[in-house]
CSV table of all heavy atoms in Angstrom, one decimal:
chain,number,residue,atom,x,y,z
H,1,MET,N,-13.2,0.4,3.7
H,1,MET,CA,-14.1,1.4,3.3
H,1,MET,C,-14.8,1.2,2.1
H,1,MET,O,-14.3,0.6,1.1
H,1,MET,CB,-13.2,2.8,3.0
H,1,MET,CG,-13.7,4.1,3.2
H,1,MET,SD,-14.6,4.4,4.9
H,1,MET,CE,-13.3,5.0,5.8
H,2,GLU,N,-16.2,1.3,2.2
H,2,GLU,CA,-17.1,1.0,1.1
H,2,GLU,C,-17.4,2.2,0.3
H,2,GLU,O,-17.5,3.2,0.8
H,2,GLU,CB,-18.3,0.4,1.8
H,2,GLU,CG,-19.3,-0.4,0.9
H,2,GLU,CD,-18.8,-2.0,0.8
H,2,GLU,OE1,-18.1,-2.4,1.7
H,2,GLU,OE2,-19.3,-2.6,-0.2
H,3,LYS,N,-17.5,1.9,-1.2
H,3,LYS,CA,-17.9,3.1,-2.0
H,3,LYS,C,-19.3,2.8,-2.7
H,3,LYS,O,-19.4,1.6,-3.1
H,3,LYS,CB,-16.9,3.3,-3.0
H,3,LYS,CG,-15.7,4.1,-2.5
H,3,LYS,CD,-14.9,4.5,-3.7
H,3,LYS,CE,-13.6,5.2,-3.2
H,3,LYS,NZ,-12.7,5.6,-4.3
H,4,THR,N,-20.3,3.7,-2.6
H,4,THR,CA,-21.5,3.4,-3.3
H,4,THR,C,-22.0,4.6,-3.9
H,4,THR,O,-21.8,5.7,-3.3
H,4,THR,CB,-22.5,2.6,-2.5
H,4,THR,OG1,-23.6,2.1,-3.2
H,4,THR,CG2,-23.0,3.5,-1.4
H,5,VAL,N,-23.0,4.5,-4.9
H,5,VAL,CA,-23.7,5.7,-5.4
H,5,VAL,C,-25.2,5.5,-5.3
H,5,VAL,O,-25.7,4.4,-5.8
H,5,VAL,CB,-23.3,6.0,-6.9
H,5,VAL,CG1,-24.0,7.3,-7.4
H,5,VAL,CG2,-21.7,6.2,-6.9
H,6,LEU,N,-25.9,6.3,-4.5
H,6,LEU,CA,-27.3,6.1,-4.5
H,6,LEU,C,-28.0,7.2,-5.5
H,6,LEU,O,-27.4,8.2,-5.6
H,6,LEU,CB,-27.7,6.5,-3.1
H,6,LEU,CG,-27.3,5.6,-1.9
H,6,LEU,CD1,-27.6,6.3,-0.6
H,6,LEU,CD2,-27.8,4.1,-2.1
H,7,THR,N,-29.2,6.7,-6.0
H,7,THR,CA,-29.9,7.7,-6.6
H,7,THR,C,-31.2,8.2,-5.7
H,7,THR,O,-31.8,7.5,-5.1
H,7,THR,CB,-30.6,7.0,-7.9
H,7,THR,OG1,-29.5,6.5,-8.7
H,7,THR,CG2,-31.5,8.1,-8.7
H,8,VAL,N,-31.2,9.6,-5.6
H,8,VAL,CA,-32.1,10.2,-4.6
H,8,VAL,C,-33.0,11.1,-5.3
H,8,VAL,O,-32.5,12.1,-6.1
H,8,VAL,CB,-31.2,10.9,-3.6
H,8,VAL,CG1,-32.2,11.6,-2.5
H,8,VAL,CG2,-30.3,9.9,-2.8
H,9,ASP,N,-34.3,11.0,-5.1
H,9,ASP,CA,-35.2,11.9,-5.7
H,9,ASP,C,-35.6,13.1,-4.7
H,9,ASP,O,-35.6,12.9,-3.4
H,9,ASP,CB,-36.5,11.1,-5.9
H,9,ASP,CG,-36.7,10.9,-7.4
H,9,ASP,OD1,-36.1,11.6,-8.2
H,9,ASP,OD2,-37.8,10.4,-7.6
H,10,GLY,N,-35.8,14.3,-5.2
H,10,GLY,CA,-36.4,15.3,-4.4
H,10,GLY,C,-35.3,16.4,-4.2
H,10,GLY,O,-35.6,17.4,-3.6
H,11,MET,N,-34.1,16.2,-4.6
H,11,MET,CA,-33.1,17.2,-4.4
H,11,MET,C,-33.2,18.2,-5.6
H,11,MET,O,-33.1,17.8,-6.6
H,11,MET,CB,-31.7,16.5,-4.4
H,11,MET,CG,-31.5,15.4,-3.4
H,11,MET,SD,-29.7,14.9,-3.4
H,11,MET,CE,-29.5,14.1,-4.9
H,12,SER,N,-33.2,19.5,-5.2
H,12,SER,CA,-33.4,20.4,-6.2
H,12,SER,C,-32.5,21.7,-6.2
H,12,SER,O,-32.4,22.5,-7.1
H,12,SER,CB,-34.8,20.8,-6.2
H,12,SER,OG,-35.2,21.5,-5.1
H,13,CYS,N,-31.9,21.9,-5.0
H,13,CYS,CA,-31.1,23.1,-4.8
H,13,CYS,C,-29.9,23.0,-3.8
H,13,CYS,O,-29.8,21.8,-3.4
H,13,CYS,CB,-31.9,24.3,-4.5
H,13,CYS,SG,-32.6,24.1,-2.7
H,14,GLU,N,-29.2,23.9,-3.7
H,14,GLU,CA,-28.0,24.0,-2.7
H,14,GLU,C,-28.4,23.7,-1.4
H,14,GLU,O,-27.7,23.1,-0.6
H,14,GLU,CB,-27.3,25.3,-2.8
H,14,GLU,CG,-26.5,25.4,-4.0
H,14,GLU,CD,-25.5,24.2,-4.4
H,14,GLU,OE1,-24.7,23.9,-3.6
H,14,GLU,OE2,-25.5,23.7,-5.5
H,15,HIS,N,-29.6,24.1,-1.0
H,15,HIS,CA,-30.1,23.8,0.4
H,15,HIS,C,-30.2,22.3,0.5
H,15,HIS,O,-29.8,21.7,1.6
H,15,HIS,CB,-31.4,24.4,0.5
H,15,HIS,CG,-32.1,23.9,1.9
H,15,HIS,ND1,-31.8,24.2,3.1
H,15,HIS,CD2,-32.9,22.8,2.0
H,15,HIS,CE1,-32.5,23.5,4.1
H,15,HIS,NE2,-33.3,22.7,3.4
H,16,CYS,N,-30.7,21.5,-0.5
H,16,CYS,CA,-30.8,20.1,-0.4
H,16,CYS,C,-29.4,19.5,-0.2
H,16,CYS,O,-29.3,18.5,0.5
H,16,CYS,CB,-31.6,19.5,-1.7
H,16,CYS,SG,-33.2,20.2,-1.9
H,17,VAL,N,-28.5,19.9,-1.1
H,17,VAL,CA,-27.1,19.3,-1.2
H,17,VAL,C,-26.5,19.6,0.4
H,17,VAL,O,-26.0,18.6,0.8
H,17,VAL,CB,-26.3,20.1,-2.1
H,17,VAL,CG1,-24.7,19.8,-1.9
H,17,VAL,CG2,-26.8,19.9,-3.6
H,18,LYS,N,-26.8,20.6,1.0
H,18,LYS,CA,-26.3,20.9,2.3
H,18,LYS,C,-26.9,20.1,3.3
H,18,LYS,O,-26.2,19.4,4.2
H,18,LYS,CB,-26.4,22.3,2.6
H,18,LYS,CG,-25.2,23.1,2.8
H,18,LYS,CD,-25.4,24.6,3.3
H,18,LYS,CE,-24.1,25.3,3.4
H,18,LYS,NZ,-24.3,26.7,3.7
H,19,ALA,N,-28.2,20.0,3.2
H,19,ALA,CA,-29.0,19.1,4.2
H,19,ALA,C,-28.5,17.7,4.1
H,19,ALA,O,-28.2,17.1,5.2
H,19,ALA,CB,-30.5,19.1,3.8
H,20,ILE,N,-28.4,17.1,2.9
H,20,ILE,CA,-28.0,15.7,2.8
H,20,ILE,C,-26.4,15.6,3.2
H,20,ILE,O,-26.0,14.6,3.9
H,20,ILE,CB,-28.1,15.2,1.4
H,20,ILE,CG1,-29.7,15.0,1.2
H,20,ILE,CG2,-27.4,13.9,1.2
H,20,ILE,CD1,-30.1,14.5,-0.1
H,21,THR,N,-25.6,16.4,2.7
H,21,THR,CA,-24.1,16.4,3.1
H,21,THR,C,-24.0,16.5,4.6
H,21,THR,O,-23.2,15.7,5.1
H,21,THR,CB,-23.4,17.6,2.4
H,21,THR,OG1,-23.7,17.5,1.1
H,21,THR,CG2,-21.9,17.4,2.6
H,22,ASN,N,-24.6,17.4,5.2
H,22,ASN,CA,-24.4,17.6,6.7
H,22,ASN,C,-25.2,16.2,7.4
H,22,ASN,O,-24.4,15.9,8.4
H,22,ASN,CB,-25.2,18.8,7.3
H,22,ASN,CG,-24.6,20.0,6.8
H,22,ASN,OD1,-23.3,20.0,6.4
H,22,ASN,ND2,-25.1,21.2,6.8
H,23,ALA,N,-26.2,15.9,7.0
H,23,ALA,CA,-26.9,14.8,7.8
H,23,ALA,C,-26.1,13.5,7.7
H,23,ALA,O,-25.7,12.8,8.6
H,23,ALA,CB,-28.3,14.6,7.4
H,24,VAL,N,-25.8,13.1,6.4
H,24,VAL,CA,-25.1,11.9,6.1
H,24,VAL,C,-23.7,12.0,6.6
H,24,VAL,O,-23.1,11.1,7.2
H,24,VAL,CB,-25.1,11.4,4.7
H,24,VAL,CG1,-24.4,10.3,4.3
H,24,VAL,CG2,-26.6,11.2,4.3
H,25,GLY,N,-23.1,13.2,6.4
H,25,GLY,CA,-21.6,13.3,6.7
H,25,GLY,C,-21.4,13.3,8.2
H,25,GLY,O,-20.4,13.0,8.7
H,26,SER,N,-22.4,13.5,9.0
H,26,SER,CA,-22.2,13.4,10.5
H,26,SER,C,-22.4,12.0,11.1
H,26,SER,O,-22.3,11.8,12.3
H,26,SER,CB,-23.2,14.5,11.1
H,26,SER,OG,-24.5,14.1,11.0
H,27,LEU,N,-22.9,11.1,10.2
H,27,LEU,CA,-23.0,9.8,10.7
H,27,LEU,C,-21.6,9.1,10.9
H,27,LEU,O,-20.7,9.5,10.2
H,27,LEU,CB,-23.8,8.9,9.6
H,27,LEU,CG,-25.3,9.2,9.4
H,27,LEU,CD1,-25.7,8.4,8.3
H,27,LEU,CD2,-26.0,8.8,10.6
H,28,PRO,N,-21.5,8.2,11.9
H,28,PRO,CA,-20.2,7.6,12.2
H,28,PRO,C,-19.7,6.8,11.1
H,28,PRO,O,-20.5,6.1,10.4
H,28,PRO,CB,-20.5,6.8,13.4
H,28,PRO,CG,-21.8,6.7,13.7
H,28,PRO,CD,-22.5,7.9,12.9
H,29,GLY,N,-18.4,7.0,10.7
H,29,GLY,CA,-17.8,6.1,9.6
H,29,GLY,C,-18.1,6.7,8.3
H,29,GLY,O,-17.5,6.1,7.3
H,30,VAL,N,-18.7,7.7,8.1
H,30,VAL,CA,-18.9,8.2,6.7
H,30,VAL,C,-17.8,9.2,6.4
H,30,VAL,O,-17.6,10.2,7.1
H,30,VAL,CB,-20.2,9.0,6.6
H,30,VAL,CG1,-20.3,9.7,5.1
H,30,VAL,CG2,-21.4,8.0,6.8
H,31,ALA,N,-17.0,8.9,5.4
H,31,ALA,CA,-15.7,9.6,5.0
H,31,ALA,C,-16.0,10.6,4.2
H,31,ALA,O,-15.4,11.7,4.1
H,31,ALA,CB,-14.7,8.6,4.5
H,32,SER,N,-17.0,10.4,3.1
H,32,SER,CA,-17.3,11.5,2.1
H,32,SER,C,-18.6,11.3,1.6
H,32,SER,O,-19.2,10.3,1.5
H,32,SER,CB,-16.2,11.6,1.0
H,32,SER,OG,-16.5,10.5,0.2
H,33,VAL,N,-19.2,12.4,1.3
H,33,VAL,CA,-20.5,12.6,0.6
H,33,VAL,C,-20.4,13.5,-0.6
H,33,VAL,O,-19.9,14.6,-0.3
H,33,VAL,CB,-21.6,13.1,1.6
H,33,VAL,CG1,-23.0,13.0,1.0
H,33,VAL,CG2,-21.5,12.3,3.1
H,34,ALA,N,-20.8,13.0,-1.8
H,34,ALA,CA,-20.7,14.0,-2.9
H,34,ALA,C,-22.1,13.9,-3.6
H,34,ALA,O,-22.4,12.9,-4.1
H,34,ALA,CB,-19.6,13.5,-3.8
H,35,VAL,N,-22.8,15.1,-3.5
H,35,VAL,CA,-24.0,15.1,-4.1
H,35,VAL,C,-24.1,15.7,-5.4
H,35,VAL,O,-23.3,16.8,-5.7
H,35,VAL,CB,-24.9,15.9,-3.3
H,35,VAL,CG1,-26.4,16.2,-3.9
H,35,VAL,CG2,-25.2,15.4,-1.8
H,36,ASP,N,-24.6,15.1,-6.5
H,36,ASP,CA,-24.7,15.8,-7.8
H,36,ASP,C,-26.1,16.0,-8.2
H,36,ASP,O,-26.9,15.0,-8.3
H,36,ASP,CB,-24.1,14.8,-8.8
H,36,ASP,CG,-24.0,15.4,-10.2
H,36,ASP,OD1,-24.9,15.9,-10.7
H,36,ASP,OD2,-22.9,15.2,-10.9
H,37,LEU,N,-26.6,17.2,-8.2
H,37,LEU,CA,-28.0,17.5,-8.4
H,37,LEU,C,-28.5,17.0,-9.9
H,37,LEU,O,-29.6,16.6,-10.1
H,37,LEU,CB,-28.1,19.0,-8.3
H,37,LEU,CG,-28.4,19.6,-6.9
H,37,LEU,CD1,-28.6,21.1,-7.0
H,37,LEU,CD2,-29.5,19.0,-6.1
H,38,LYS,N,-27.7,17.3,-10.9
H,38,LYS,CA,-28.0,16.9,-12.2
H,38,LYS,C,-28.2,15.4,-12.4
H,38,LYS,O,-29.1,15.0,-13.1
H,38,LYS,CB,-27.0,17.4,-13.2
H,38,LYS,CG,-27.1,18.8,-13.5
H,38,LYS,CD,-26.2,19.3,-14.6
H,38,LYS,CE,-26.3,20.7,-14.8
H,38,LYS,NZ,-25.1,21.4,-15.4
H,39,LYS,N,-27.3,14.6,-11.8
H,39,LYS,CA,-27.5,13.1,-11.9
H,39,LYS,C,-28.4,12.6,-10.8
H,39,LYS,O,-28.6,11.5,-10.8
H,39,LYS,CB,-26.2,12.6,-11.7
H,39,LYS,CG,-25.2,12.8,-12.9
H,39,LYS,CD,-23.9,12.1,-12.6
H,39,LYS,CE,-22.8,12.4,-13.6
H,39,LYS,NZ,-21.4,12.1,-13.2
H,40,LYS,N,-28.9,13.6,-9.9
H,40,LYS,CA,-29.6,12.9,-8.6
H,40,LYS,C,-28.8,11.8,-7.9
H,40,LYS,O,-29.5,10.9,-7.6
H,40,LYS,CB,-30.9,12.3,-9.2
H,40,LYS,CG,-31.9,13.5,-9.9
H,40,LYS,CD,-33.2,12.8,-10.1
H,40,LYS,CE,-34.3,13.7,-10.6
H,40,LYS,NZ,-35.5,13.2,-10.9
H,41,SER,N,-27.7,12.1,-7.9
H,41,SER,CA,-26.8,11.0,-7.2
H,41,SER,C,-26.2,11.5,-5.9
H,41,SER,O,-25.9,12.7,-5.8
H,41,SER,CB,-25.8,10.4,-8.1
H,41,SER,OG,-24.9,11.4,-8.3
H,42,VAL,N,-25.9,10.5,-5.0
H,42,VAL,CA,-25.3,10.8,-3.8
H,42,VAL,C,-24.1,9.8,-3.6
H,42,VAL,O,-24.5,8.5,-3.6
H,42,VAL,CB,-26.1,10.8,-2.6
H,42,VAL,CG1,-25.3,10.9,-1.2
H,42,VAL,CG2,-27.2,11.7,-2.6
H,43,ALA,N,-22.9,10.1,-3.9
H,43,ALA,CA,-21.8,9.2,-4.0
H,43,ALA,C,-21.2,9.2,-2.5
H,43,ALA,O,-21.0,10.3,-1.9
H,43,ALA,CB,-20.7,9.6,-4.9
H,44,LEU,N,-21.0,8.0,-2.0
H,44,LEU,CA,-20.6,7.8,-0.6
H,44,LEU,C,-19.4,7.1,-0.4
H,44,LEU,O,-19.1,6.2,-1.2
H,44,LEU,CB,-21.6,7.0,0.2
H,44,LEU,CG,-23.1,7.6,0.2
H,44,LEU,CD1,-24.1,6.6,0.7
H,44,LEU,CD2,-23.2,8.9,1.2
H,45,GLU,N,-18.6,7.3,0.5
H,45,GLU,CA,-17.5,6.5,0.9
H,45,GLU,C,-17.7,6.3,2.5
H,45,GLU,O,-17.7,7.2,3.2
H,45,GLU,CB,-16.1,7.2,0.7
H,45,GLU,CG,-15.1,6.3,0.3
H,45,GLU,CD,-13.9,7.1,-0.1
H,45,GLU,OE1,-13.9,8.4,-0.4
H,45,GLU,OE2,-12.7,6.5,0.0
H,46,TYR,N,-18.0,5.1,2.9
H,46,TYR,CA,-18.2,4.8,4.3
H,46,TYR,C,-17.8,3.5,4.8
H,46,TYR,O,-17.4,2.5,4.1
H,46,TYR,CB,-19.7,5.1,4.4
H,46,TYR,CG,-20.5,3.8,3.8
H,46,TYR,CD1,-21.0,2.8,4.6
H,46,TYR,CD2,-20.6,3.8,2.5
H,46,TYR,CE1,-21.7,1.8,4.0
H,46,TYR,CE2,-21.3,2.7,1.8
H,46,TYR,CZ,-21.8,1.8,2.6
H,46,TYR,OH,-22.5,0.6,2.0
H,47,ASP,N,-17.7,3.4,6.1
H,47,ASP,CA,-17.3,2.2,6.8
H,47,ASP,C,-18.5,1.4,7.1
H,47,ASP,O,-19.2,1.9,8.1
H,47,ASP,CB,-16.5,2.6,8.0
H,47,ASP,CG,-16.0,1.2,8.7
H,47,ASP,OD1,-16.6,0.1,8.5
H,47,ASP,OD2,-15.1,1.4,9.7
H,48,PRO,N,-18.9,0.4,6.6
H,48,PRO,CA,-20.2,-0.3,6.9
H,48,PRO,C,-20.3,-0.9,8.3
H,48,PRO,O,-21.3,-1.1,8.8
H,48,PRO,CB,-20.3,-1.4,5.8
H,48,PRO,CG,-19.0,-1.5,5.2
H,48,PRO,CD,-18.3,-0.3,5.5
H,49,ALA,N,-19.2,-1.0,8.9
H,49,ALA,CA,-19.1,-1.5,10.4
H,49,ALA,C,-19.7,-0.5,11.3
H,49,ALA,O,-20.1,-0.7,12.3
H,49,ALA,CB,-17.8,-1.9,10.7
H,50,LYS,N,-19.5,0.8,10.9
H,50,LYS,CA,-20.0,1.9,11.7
H,50,LYS,C,-21.4,2.4,11.4
H,50,LYS,O,-22.1,2.8,12.2
H,50,LYS,CB,-19.0,3.1,11.7
H,50,LYS,CG,-17.7,2.7,12.4
H,50,LYS,CD,-16.6,3.7,12.4
H,50,LYS,CE,-15.3,3.4,13.1
H,50,LYS,NZ,-14.1,4.2,12.7
H,51,SER,N,-21.7,2.6,10.1
H,51,SER,CA,-22.9,3.0,9.6
H,51,SER,C,-23.4,2.1,8.4
H,51,SER,O,-22.5,2.1,7.4
H,51,SER,CB,-23.0,4.4,9.2
H,51,SER,OG,-22.9,5.3,10.3
H,52,SER,N,-24.3,1.3,8.6
H,52,SER,CA,-24.9,0.5,7.5
H,52,SER,C,-25.5,1.3,6.3
H,52,SER,O,-25.9,2.4,6.6
H,52,SER,CB,-25.8,-0.5,8.0
H,52,SER,OG,-27.1,0.1,8.4
H,53,LEU,N,-25.4,0.7,5.2
H,53,LEU,CA,-26.1,1.4,4.1
H,53,LEU,C,-27.6,1.7,4.4
H,53,LEU,O,-28.1,2.8,4.0
H,53,LEU,CB,-26.0,0.5,2.8
H,53,LEU,CG,-26.4,1.4,1.5
H,53,LEU,CD1,-25.6,2.7,1.2
H,53,LEU,CD2,-26.2,0.5,0.3
H,54,ASP,N,-28.3,0.8,5.1
H,54,ASP,CA,-29.7,1.1,5.5
H,54,ASP,C,-29.8,2.3,6.3
H,54,ASP,O,-30.7,3.1,6.2
H,54,ASP,CB,-30.2,-0.1,6.3
H,54,ASP,CG,-30.7,-1.2,5.3
H,54,ASP,OD1,-30.9,-1.0,4.0
H,54,ASP,OD2,-31.1,-2.4,5.7
H,55,LYS,N,-28.8,2.4,7.2
H,55,LYS,CA,-28.8,3.5,8.2
H,55,LYS,C,-28.7,4.8,7.4
H,55,LYS,O,-29.4,6.0,7.6
H,55,LYS,CB,-27.7,3.4,9.2
H,55,LYS,CG,-27.4,4.6,10.1
H,55,LYS,CD,-28.1,4.6,11.3
H,55,LYS,CE,-28.1,6.0,12.1
H,55,LYS,NZ,-29.2,6.2,12.8
H,56,ILE,N,-27.8,4.9,6.4
H,56,ILE,CA,-27.6,6.0,5.6
H,56,ILE,C,-28.8,6.3,4.8
H,56,ILE,O,-29.2,7.5,4.7
H,56,ILE,CB,-26.3,5.8,4.7
H,56,ILE,CG1,-25.0,5.7,5.6
H,56,ILE,CG2,-26.2,6.9,3.7
H,56,ILE,CD1,-23.7,5.2,4.9
H,57,LYS,N,-29.3,5.3,4.2
H,57,LYS,CA,-30.6,5.6,3.4
H,57,LYS,C,-31.7,6.2,4.3
H,57,LYS,O,-32.4,7.1,3.9
H,57,LYS,CB,-31.1,4.2,2.8
H,57,LYS,CG,-30.3,3.8,1.7
H,57,LYS,CD,-30.9,2.5,1.1
H,57,LYS,CE,-30.2,1.9,0.0
H,57,LYS,NZ,-30.6,0.6,-0.6
H,58,SER,N,-31.9,5.7,5.5
H,58,SER,CA,-33.0,6.1,6.3
H,58,SER,C,-32.7,7.6,6.9
H,58,SER,O,-33.6,8.5,6.9
H,58,SER,CB,-33.2,5.2,7.5
H,58,SER,OG,-32.2,5.2,8.5
H,59,GLU,N,-31.4,8.0,7.0
H,59,GLU,CA,-30.9,9.3,7.3
H,59,GLU,C,-31.4,10.2,6.2
H,59,GLU,O,-32.0,11.4,6.5
H,59,GLU,CB,-29.5,9.3,7.5
H,59,GLU,CG,-29.0,10.8,8.0
H,59,GLU,CD,-29.5,11.1,9.4
H,59,GLU,OE1,-29.7,10.2,10.2
H,59,GLU,OE2,-29.9,12.2,9.6
H,60,ILE,N,-31.2,9.8,4.9
H,60,ILE,CA,-31.5,10.6,3.8
H,60,ILE,C,-33.1,10.8,3.7
H,60,ILE,O,-33.7,12.0,3.5
H,60,ILE,CB,-31.0,10.0,2.4
H,60,ILE,CG1,-29.6,10.2,2.3
H,60,ILE,CG2,-31.6,10.8,1.1
H,60,ILE,CD1,-28.8,9.4,1.2
H,61,GLU,N,-33.8,9.8,4.0
H,61,GLU,CA,-35.3,9.8,3.9
H,61,GLU,C,-35.8,10.6,5.1
H,61,GLU,O,-36.8,11.3,4.8
H,61,GLU,CB,-35.8,8.4,3.9
H,61,GLU,CG,-35.3,7.7,2.6
H,61,GLU,CD,-36.2,6.6,2.2
H,61,GLU,OE1,-36.5,5.8,3.0
H,61,GLU,OE2,-36.2,6.2,1.0
H,62,ASP,N,-35.0,10.8,6.2
H,62,ASP,CA,-35.5,11.5,7.4
H,62,ASP,C,-35.4,13.0,7.0
H,62,ASP,O,-36.2,13.8,7.5
H,62,ASP,CB,-34.6,11.3,8.7
H,62,ASP,CG,-35.0,10.0,9.3
H,62,ASP,OD1,-36.0,9.4,8.9
H,62,ASP,OD2,-34.1,9.6,10.2
H,63,GLN,N,-34.5,13.3,6.0
H,63,GLN,CA,-34.3,14.6,5.6
H,63,GLN,C,-35.4,15.0,4.5
H,63,GLN,O,-35.5,16.3,4.2
H,63,GLN,CB,-33.0,14.9,5.0
H,63,GLN,CG,-31.8,14.7,5.9
H,63,GLN,CD,-31.9,15.6,7.1
H,63,GLN,OE1,-32.0,16.9,7.0
H,63,GLN,NE2,-31.7,15.1,8.3
H,64,GLY,N,-36.2,14.1,4.2
H,64,GLY,CA,-37.3,14.3,3.2
H,64,GLY,C,-37.1,14.1,1.7
H,64,GLY,O,-37.9,14.5,0.9
H,65,TYR,N,-36.1,13.2,1.6
H,65,TYR,CA,-35.9,12.8,0.2
H,65,TYR,C,-36.1,11.3,0.1
H,65,TYR,O,-36.2,10.5,1.1
H,65,TYR,CB,-34.4,13.1,-0.1
H,65,TYR,CG,-34.1,14.6,0.2
H,65,TYR,CD1,-33.4,15.0,1.3
H,65,TYR,CD2,-34.5,15.6,-0.7
H,65,TYR,CE1,-33.1,16.3,1.5
H,65,TYR,CE2,-34.3,16.9,-0.5
H,65,TYR,CZ,-33.7,17.3,0.5
H,65,TYR,OH,-33.4,18.6,1.0
H,66,GLU,N,-36.2,10.9,-1.2
H,66,GLU,CA,-36.5,9.5,-1.5
H,66,GLU,C,-35.4,8.8,-2.1
H,66,GLU,O,-34.9,9.2,-3.2
H,66,GLU,CB,-37.7,9.3,-2.3
H,66,GLU,CG,-38.3,8.0,-2.3
H,66,GLU,CD,-39.5,7.8,-3.4
H,66,GLU,OE1,-39.9,8.8,-4.0
H,66,GLU,OE2,-39.8,6.6,-3.7
H,67,VAL,N,-34.9,7.8,-1.5
H,67,VAL,CA,-33.9,7.0,-2.1
H,67,VAL,C,-34.4,6.0,-3.1
H,67,VAL,O,-35.2,5.1,-2.7
H,67,VAL,CB,-33.0,6.2,-1.1
H,67,VAL,CG1,-31.9,5.3,-1.7
H,67,VAL,CG2,-32.4,7.1,0.0
H,68,VAL,N,-34.1,6.1,-4.4
H,68,VAL,CA,-34.8,5.4,-5.3
H,68,VAL,C,-34.0,4.2,-5.9
H,68,VAL,O,-34.4,3.2,-6.5
H,68,VAL,CB,-35.4,6.1,-6.6
H,68,VAL,CG1,-36.5,7.0,-6.1
H,68,VAL,CG2,-34.3,7.0,-7.3
H,69,ALA,N,-32.6,4.3,-5.7
H,69,ALA,CA,-31.8,3.1,-6.0
H,69,ALA,C,-30.5,3.3,-5.3
H,69,ALA,O,-30.2,4.3,-4.8
H,69,ALA,CB,-31.5,3.1,-7.5
S,1,CU,CU1,-33.4,22.2,-2.1
């Protein structure tokens, strides 16, 4: 299990938190998603053999947010 924290731009409210949590959380191998609006961060725990970090990043961008780091 891999742990990482992404910085994501464009998240502003509970709706954004839900959208990202649901979208990323439904990818295979993703064990946990924790969004922090103040820090603009998305903390992840995932199995890279099932969902690569690139896949997770593109899922976030498909929801309309920008992964900046
Ligand atoms: Cu929002």
